[in-house]
């Protein structure tokens, strides 16, 4: 893998500024978690070894290079696998649109199956999809789509490699894939609600092929400790660490916060910090999912809904409380902040992966029925965001889509 990544950088530099071969980019999702990173690297390596074309195949991390520090679990795993960070290629280091305009771009998507609206102009470049989220794209002769609701996209990459090119597996690649599936599936614990029979099958297959892989329990504890480590991060960084965004009539961010709900709500000047974040990033509502774990590695998930618009906050909260597929089992939790509605989540198996489609359905219903109307709002906590919906929800004509990359750029420019 290390030599492959080195060759990607070298060959790309040699061909970028002149007419050359097509560039086949394997791209993970905007959150760029361990699964997206490893799936992009391993699937790109698989294509490089098996495609037999003149294309330059390379994995692209869908964040800026400066944001890698927020992915403490990725940093840990790269170090564990003896892969230097500087070999990775990041979104701000490669101009996909320039390649597309030159007719040289091909895209394979891993760990997501549709491009965000900000990348909609690249849709014609997509040639393959490998994902484990709810299907939003149909397969076609020019773009085969593999979507299977397993615990980790890395499971599907492992399956593809073992079935079609098992000879390319080595200890390093096996460790990357193995660690990712174990982390995503919460140490393969059925109680966490993530693992499927296929995940278990390919973890066992990797263990059989590479007996010197570290014990899964110890490896999981190391990765989990690194992932949950938010020491030294401010509130902005904690929100950006693992966040996805959806938009319709208004913009919603869904960050996973690696604190207990109580710890989050006790954060000093919490409302002021969340208000400033929304103001800078263009979000109208934050749907924060806190996560912690019991001693038996069972997840504890809780929700905190922040918005300056009581209408938005109440509509979203009510919709999620009524949701049936899945049922979240929400019950109100004590909260000292007037702009935040907090909930205990009875269905601890409903991760953000299962919450996200509910939010998308809610926005579709709002777009079609105009379910959110004007309402008298509470006084805003200074600074009042210009798009915080203090006069109603949503704003006339809706708000433009803002990507996670765009909002990070805003933070850097302040």
């Amino acid at each position: 893998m290390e030599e492959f990544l080195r060759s990607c950088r070298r060959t790309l530099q040699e061909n970028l500024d002149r007419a050359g071969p097509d560039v086949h980019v394997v791209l993970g999702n905007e959150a760029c978690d361990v699964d997206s990173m490893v799936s992009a690297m391993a699937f790109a390596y698989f294509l490089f070894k098996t495609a037999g074309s003149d294309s330059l195949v390379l994995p692209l991390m869908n964040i800026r290079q400066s944001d890698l520090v927020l992915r403490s679990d990725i940093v840990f795993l790269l170090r564990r696998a003896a892969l230097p960070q500087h070999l990775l290629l990041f979104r701000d280091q490669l101009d996909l649109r320039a390649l597309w305009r030159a007719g040289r771009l091909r895209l394979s998507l891993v760990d997501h199956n549709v491009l965000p609206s900000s990348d909609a102009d690249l849709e014609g470049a997509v040639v393959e999809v490998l994902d484990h989220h709810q299907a939003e794209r149909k397969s076609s002769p020019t773009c085969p789509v593999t979507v299977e609701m397993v615990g980790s996209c890395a499971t599907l990459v492992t399956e593809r490699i073992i079935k079609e090119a098992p000879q390319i597996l080595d200890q390093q690649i096996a460790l990357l894939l193995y660690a990712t599936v174990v982390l995503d599936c919460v140490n393969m614990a059925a109680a966490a609600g993530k693992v499927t029979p296929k995940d278990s099958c390919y973890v066992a297959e990797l263990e059989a092929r590479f007996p010197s892989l570290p014990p899964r329990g110890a490896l999981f504890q190391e990765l989990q400790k690194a992932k949950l480590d938010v020491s030294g991060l401010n509130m902005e960084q904690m929100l950006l660490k693992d966040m996805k965004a959806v938009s319709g009539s208004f913009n919603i961010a869904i960050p996973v916060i690696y604190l207990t709900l109580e710890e989050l709500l006790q954060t000093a000047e919490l409302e002021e910090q969340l208000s400033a974040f929304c103001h800078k990033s263009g979000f109208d509502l934050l749907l924060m999912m806190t996560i912690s774990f019991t001693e038996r590695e069972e997840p504890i998930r809780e929700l905190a809904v922040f918005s300056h618009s009581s209408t938005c906050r109440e509509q979203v909260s009510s919709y999620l409380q009524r949701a049936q597929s899945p049922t979240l089992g929400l019950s109100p939790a004590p909260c000292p902040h007037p702009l935040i509605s907090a909930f205990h989540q009875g269905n601890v198996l409903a991760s953000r992966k299962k919450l996200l489609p509910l939010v998308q359905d809610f926005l579709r219903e709002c777009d079609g029925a105009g379910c959110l109307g004007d309402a008298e709002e509470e006084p805003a906590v200074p600074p009042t965001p210009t798009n915080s919906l203090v006069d109603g929800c949503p704003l006339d004509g809706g708000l433009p889509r803002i990507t996670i990359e765009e909002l990070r750029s805003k933070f850097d420019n302040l």
Side-chain angles (χ1 to χ4, degrees), residues 27-28 30 62 91 96 107 109 112-126 129 137 401:
L27 185 69
E30 289 178 290
N62 205 357
R91 186 65 188 263
L96 295 182
L107 278 177
L109 306 183
H112 64 320
N113 60 87
V114 292
L115 288 168
S117 58
S118 57
D119 285 333
D121 55 324
L122 302 177
E123 183 60 39
V126 179
V129 170
R137 177 195 292 270
R401 159 77 171 178

Side-chain angles (χ1 to χ4, degrees), residues 37-239:
M37 179 203 71
V38 170
S39 293
M41 288 197 301
F43 194 56
Y45 185 69
F46 164 78
L47 293 175
F48 169 73
K49 288 290 191 178
T50 62
S53 70
D54 294 330
S55 296
L56 166 62
V57 183
L58 56 88
L60 185 64
M61 307 301 106
N62 205 357
I63 54 171
R64 298 173 309 167
Q65 184 179 27
S66 59
D67 290 327
L68 182 61
V69 67
L70 301 180
R71 274 64 174 182
S72 49
D73 46 355
I74 290 179
V75 173
F76 172 84
L77 181 56
L78 290 173
R79 189 181 303 118
R80 191 76 158 77
L83 268 180
Q85 297 178 24
H86 71 268
L87 296 181
L88 300 180
L89 192 65
F90 295 86
R91 186 65 188 263
D92 57 334
Q93 297 175 324
L94 181 63
D95 190 342
L96 295 182
R97 285 175 177 79
L99 289 172
W100 176 237
R101 289 192 298 268
R104 297 176 56 196
L105 179 65
R106 304 174 71 204
L107 278 177
S108 287
L109 306 183
V110 293
D111 204 24
H112 64 320
N113 60 87
V114 292
L115 288 168
S117 58
S118 57
D119 285 333
D121 55 324
L122 302 177
E123 183 60 39
V126 179
V127 296
E128 186 170 7
V129 170
L130 194 64
D131 187 29
H132 70 132
H133 296 90
Q134 181 173 291
E136 299 180 68
R137 177 195 292 270
K138 293 183 179 179
S139 190
S140 71
T142 58
C143 180
V145 174
T146 301
V147 173
E148 188 172 345
M149 300 290 281
V150 292
S152 177
C153 187
T155 294
L156 302 179
V157 177
T158 304
E159 177 184 42
R160 186 82 167 266
I161 292 174
I162 287 178
K163 285 187 174 180
E164 298 184 25
Q167 72 280 2
I168 74 171
L169 278 175
D170 60 20
Q171 180 77 22
Q172 187 181 56
I173 297 171
L175 173 61
L176 291 170
L177 292 167
Y178 178 72
T180 302
V181 180
V182 168
L183 178 63
D184 268 1
C185 295
V186 195
N187 198 24
M188 319 311 286
K194 300 289 287 292
V195 65
T196 70
K198 179 168 284 191
D199 298 300
S200 297
C201 172
Y202 282 101
V203 160
E205 180 73 19
L206 289 171
E207 289 173 334
R209 288 172 179 264
F210 298 92
S212 59
L213 284 171
R216 65 173 73 162
L219 180 61
F220 172 76
Q221 290 297 337
E222 292 174 340
L223 286 164
Q224 188 78 330
K225 181 180 179 181
K227 180 177 182 178
L228 300 181
D229 183 11
V230 294
S231 58
L233 299 186
N234 59 34
M235 181 53 63
E236 290 177 358
Q237 292 171 323
M238 280 194 278
L239 291 167

Side-chain angles (χ1 to χ4, degrees), residues 55 157 192 225-226 240 255 282 293 308 316 345 353 356 366 388 401:
S55 296
V157 177
K225 181 180 179 181
L240 288 169
F293 291 86
H308 278 282
V316 170
Q345 183 174 312
K353 178 181 173 182
L356 190 59
C366 288
S388 63
R401 159 77 171 178

